[in-house]
Amino acid sequence: MGKVSSVYSMCGMCAVRCPIRVEVEDGVVRWIEGNPHEPGLRGSICAKGSAGVAFEYDSERPQYPMIRDGERGSGTWKKATWDEALDYIAEKLKDVIKKYGSKAIALSDRSGPFTDLTTSFLKALGSPNYFNHDDTCAKNVDMACRSLFGFKGRGDFSYDFTNTKHIILYARNVFESLQVKEVNNILDALDKGAKLTYMDCRATVTASKADRFFMIRPGTTYAINLALINVILKERLYDIDFVNRMTTGLTELESFVAPYTPEWAEKESGIPAQEIINLARDVSNDKPKVIFHPGWMLSRHTNSFYDSRAIYILNVLMGNIETKGGLIVAKGPADAGRKPLNSLGAKIPDVKDKIVDAEMKDKPFGTGHVVNLYKAIKTGEPYSIKAYFAYRYDPIASLPDPEAQKKVLNNLDLLVSIDVNYSQTGWYSDVILPESTYLERSNIIGTVKGSKPSFVMRRQAIAPRFDSKPAWEIFTLIAEKMGASQYFPYKSIEDIWNYQLEGTGVKIEDFNARGSVSLAKDPIFKDRNELKFKTPSGKIEFVSQELTKSGFESFKQYEAPLKPEKGKFRLIFGRSAVHTHAQSQNNIYLNEIMPENVLWINEKEAKDLGINDGDIVEVSSDGFSGTIKAKVTPYIHPEAVFMVHGFGNEIPLKTRSYKKGLSDNKFQIGLLEKTDPVGGGVAFNECFVSIKKG
């Protein structure tokens, strides 16, 4: 047996970034497990994390820099050295800056604890145009949170599932779109007698664990939430003392929800009025240890912002803010009396230009909407965007209507993909830069906020197998080529770590024992009587001054979702516990477990169409069509059909997943700019398809 060592690091098979222990023998990864030191994780890891070894030793991923050698999307590439690829990028960037200014450069990524690197890189180039993926995920949730509490977004709360008594989930399929620690905490709560209520238009694994499951008509959870608020206020089931002390706008809220009775909601959602009343009374009995989850991917419909806002209002009515079993205000280093990490951008001059969507007309609430970035690339208004970095982010596979996207992206002078995978966006790019895998690289240190804030580290376990580089080095080298090396003077990741940790009282070696450093011995709770929120009033604002100032209503009248025409269905999509969006379908193990997706269709509707379980069916929308195997089931609403997202890969180098299954976003024709008008999230599920037997 060779030399064996353990490295504490972070998984990179999805965006959850679970802490892991990696066992390495003579430079080869032999074993990956959940970090046994992390409470709630208990050494466990999901299927995707377990397949990390297979991903590492797979050759069907980018192995060296590649420069396009044909038309965009042609799949014709020239192998390049790093100097050649970076010189090509720098030359294009300099031309863009000369013609349009530094603000014509944009970058988007998946956000998370390491974004100080990408935002500081853009700042060094003189651009304000950083975007993340949240228009396709939780932008509506973030904006709803901001409108009530003044917080930046949903990340300013954590959920004390372990100590709660009742969890209410809205299509938040926790047992399949999968955070291991969160799932363990929820299971612990259920073991202790907590109740779980789940609402969705199909029965998922999470529905199978629920005490109460509402199979709702698609797009009608807002109706149920308005009716719940109606009952809770009418019957005075809310935390009267907390609401009176900590909120503004209660009278206006009561007046607004008065017409939205359970009987009305029954007609909209299909859920019996008495069931809605029973739920309102049950959660009141369990308050304040109640969690209405405000949603994760509430980028679904054009009413999703107000839907999520109603969910947050329900939490406030339960008085569950900053209490065990409820929503805990996430704490940072300063709350623990500790110095935060030093930002890589702290010494870089501030950018004078505003982010491109700050100056747009008819814009949604807030800025940083990637859909608005596309509008600016397309129109040149309010100013031109001509260079775009997509870092570990694949908009062509995640935003609607790939063909419409490609037409927009053709307006760019430079499109660069930095990723560990061949992505749909990468395949359409001018340059692909291969990032080292999460087992081959270290990242900058990140901060994780929560009741016990901590610093976390992803640490390199093995040497890169191919000609790849870690992100910190890629961005440092580009900055150097652009004459901005004074802002990125780092020669090693240790240089960055030492700078970040300077003055914090934490040293690099403090991460050796478990991969993270906790900044608080015990959970931190603020005095509820002294809670101050980041709103103009310092209180939770049912009537939001910031929304009013931006020209939006605090309460939005309900609008019934469209019913599909005869023979058509609303297309919905979601996650599987096996795959990460469109990233993992080519993994040799995960592909074997789930090689393609299927189409869920209601059994009565299928019978009317002559479709049996397992039949091949044709799905079509606005001139696009494809075939897929049918899953005929009673466990989906008759107005909807469903497929798992991420299939239909068109990159021939990914041989196991090439053209397997269907891509839902190809049917979302015309929806690239179909967004929630306030939250800005993409209204994916405003898509209707026709189904017939293949």
Side-chain angles (χ1 to χ4, degrees), residues 522-558:
D522 300 308
I524 301 169
F525 285 90
K526 295 183 178 180
D527 187 337
R528 277 163 52 95
N529 294 316
E530 297 179 5
L531 279 178
K532 295 290 183 184
F533 297 92
K534 296 181 180 180
T535 57
S537 66
K539 294 189 175 186
I540 302 166
E541 295 187 351
F542 292 149
V543 176
S544 167
Q545 295 183 56
E546 193 174 4
L547 277 180
T548 302
K549 184 179 179 181
S550 299
F552 298 114
E553 304 167 283
S554 291
F555 310 122
K556 177 69 173 176
Q557 294 289 337
Y558 178 84

Side-chain angles (χ1 to χ4, degrees), residues 422-444:
Y422 290 117
S423 69
Q424 296 291 140
T425 305
W427 206 242
Y428 203 70
S429 295
D430 301 310
V431 182
I432 295 176
L433 298 180
E435 184 184 27
S436 302
T437 70
Y438 72 97
L439 294 168
E440 300 170 348
R441 72 174 187 263
S442 296
N443 283 80
I444 67 172

Side-chain angles (χ1 to χ4, degrees), residues 492-543:
S492 68
I493 190 63
E494 287 79 14
D495 286 349
I496 294 177
W497 288 346
N498 282 322
Y499 167 75
Q500 288 183 284
L501 292 172
E502 188 177 323
T504 65
V506 177
K507 302 182 293 297
I508 294 175
E509 50 266 32
D510 294 338
F511 292 87
N512 294 349
R514 54 189 302 164
S516 64
V517 175
S518 178
L519 303 179
K521 183 179 179 181
D522 300 308
I524 301 169
F525 285 90
K526 295 183 178 180
D527 187 337
R528 277 163 52 95
N529 294 316
E530 297 179 5
L531 279 178
K532 295 290 183 184
F533 297 92
K534 296 181 180 180
T535 57
S537 66
K539 294 189 175 186
I540 302 166
E541 295 187 351
F542 292 149
V543 176

Side-chain angles (χ1 to χ4, degrees), residues 382-396:
Y383 56 79
S384 294
I385 300 291
K386 290 295 182 179
Y388 179 27
F389 291 86
Y391 168 51
R392 62 181 201 89
Y393 175 48
D394 190 1
I396 290 180

